[in-house]
Amino acid sequence: MTALIGSGTDRDTTRAGARTATRAATPAAAVTRRPSEGSVHSWDLSTGVDGPGTRFVTFLSGCPLTCLYCHNPDTWRMRAGRRTSADDVIAEAAKCRRFIAASGGGATVSGGEPLLQPVFAGELLHRMKHELGLHTALDTSGFLGARATDALLRDVDLVLLDVKSWDRETYRKVTGRPLAPTLDFARRLVDLGKEVHLRFVLVPGLTDARENVEGVAAFAGSLGNVSRVDVLPFHKLGEAKWQALGMDFTLHGTPSPTAEQTAEARAVFEARGLTAV
């Protein structure tokens, strides 16, 4: 009996050591030396809009931008999220790993702005990729791109990058922030050889000026690593959330672009040799 107990203890010690070794190899453990936690708004399965295939999408709380058309303003404040361990998120993703893999999908870390919590975001990306074997995507505005270390980006297979306007004044009006950090991050992704899906929201009377669309398209076409452009028609599906939060949705009277207007914008990107959808 003593021998059996001793063997079990040895096995438990070995397992614990293995877990510690795995955790020590992750970006978060290297920084914090403790299990990683972050502020999480929610997680969900998504198809078609958060990267290829079916995705396990983790929405982190907190965002430095205040986009006029944001459909999730409830993610802006980090304290509004739920304190969650990386272990819990990975456990949820693991439940549907086979289904996700069979669809050619993966895992996406989104927000809010995930780079507001770079250590936690890096932990999730690392473990989704190396423990679960999933294709990984980072969904970001790029404004906090300087917070993304090279180590974090090594665990990213695809970057979903929002370029909300080319005109600097319009960009600041839309987001409350300057455009330059996003452009700097985009150029850095070229140097790192990262694939990018660029997103551009078409808002009538705000971002739809021909020269504005052409500016974004010219920039995207110059990079050489943009494999897809999503021209997203503006919608007001998030207006109820603004109202529930007591916030003024200033685009209440703005219409969605017509199918023809959206097609014209996509054609501008296609003229630069880009695949636009």
Side-chain angles (χ1 to χ4, degrees):
M1 183 67 71
T2 302
L4 289 174
I5 293 174
S7 298
T9 301
D10 290 343
R11 285 196 296 272
D12 290 344
T13 300
T14 300
R15 292 191 189 104
R19 287 194 297 270
T20 300
T22 299
R23 182 170 291 142
T26 67
V31 173
T32 65
R33 301 297 177 188
R34 62 179 182 273
S36 179
E37 291 186 342
S39 181
V40 176
H41 175 270
S42 58
W43 53 66
D44 201 359
L45 285 179
S46 170
T47 301
V49 295
D50 297 291
T54 299
R55 317 287 298 184
F56 182 89
V57 186
T58 309
F59 298 94
L60 304 190
S61 293
C63 185
L65 274 58
T66 53
C67 296
L68 297 179
Y69 49 69
C70 180
H71 57 275
N72 287 316
D74 49 327
T75 66
W76 286 1
R77 297 182 179 180
M78 195 182 301
R79 65 175 179 271
R82 178 167 53 90
R83 200 71 184 169
T84 307
S85 72
D87 288 342
D88 287 344
V89 178
I90 297 301
E92 287 297 319
K95 294 176 183 177
C96 43
R97 174 177 57 180
R98 292 184 180 180
F99 172 72
I100 291 171
S103 77
T108 300
V109 179
S110 184
E113 172 51 65
L115 294 180
L116 196 61
Q117 303 181 62
V119 173
F120 185 60
E123 175 86 353
L124 295 179
L125 290 162
H126 183 90
R127 294 180 65 180
M128 294 288 188
K129 184 177 183 67
H130 296 286
E131 291 183 25
L132 301 186
L134 295 175
H135 175 276
T136 56
L138 174 68
D139 183 2
T140 177
S141 70
F143 177 70
L144 297 178
R147 294 192 180 190
T149 64
D150 287 354
L152 182 155
L153 292 172
R154 277 196 293 271
D155 291 324
V156 175
D157 296 309
L158 172 69
V159 177
L160 308 175
L161 182 64
D162 295 327
V163 180
K164 302 171 190 291
S165 173
W166 182 250
D167 178 80
R168 273 59 171 174
E169 291 185 9
T170 301
Y171 190 93
R172 188 177 285 277
K173 180 179 179 180
V174 169
T175 70
R177 298 288 187 173
L179 172 61
T182 293
L183 303 185
D184 291 342
F185 183 59
R187 297 184 185 103
R188 181 177 164 214
L189 293 174
V190 175
D191 294 338
L192 294 174
K194 292 296 172 183
E195 180 185 5
V196 169
H197 284 185
L198 187 143
R199 290 168 161 178
F200 173 72
V201 180
L202 188 69
V203 186
L206 187 61
T207 67
D208 64 335
R210 178 79 181 197
E211 59 271 22
N212 189 48
V213 179
E214 288 180 343
V216 177
F219 178 71
S222 72
L223 296 174
N225 65 337
V226 177
S227 60
R228 166 173 163 158
V229 177
D230 289 289
V231 177
L232 305 173
F234 163 72
H235 61 73
K236 292 181 278 191
L237 297 180
E239 184 173 3
K241 290 185 178 181
W242 286 71
Q243 294 173 346
L245 293 168
M247 298 165 60
D248 182 22
F249 187 69
T250 59
L251 298 182
H252 171 76
T254 301
S256 297
T258 65
E260 291 77 14
Q261 288 172 322
T262 304
E264 288 175 6
R266 288 175 179 147
V268 173
F269 286 95
E270 290 167 351
R272 295 285 178 172
L274 298 161
T275 299
V277 297

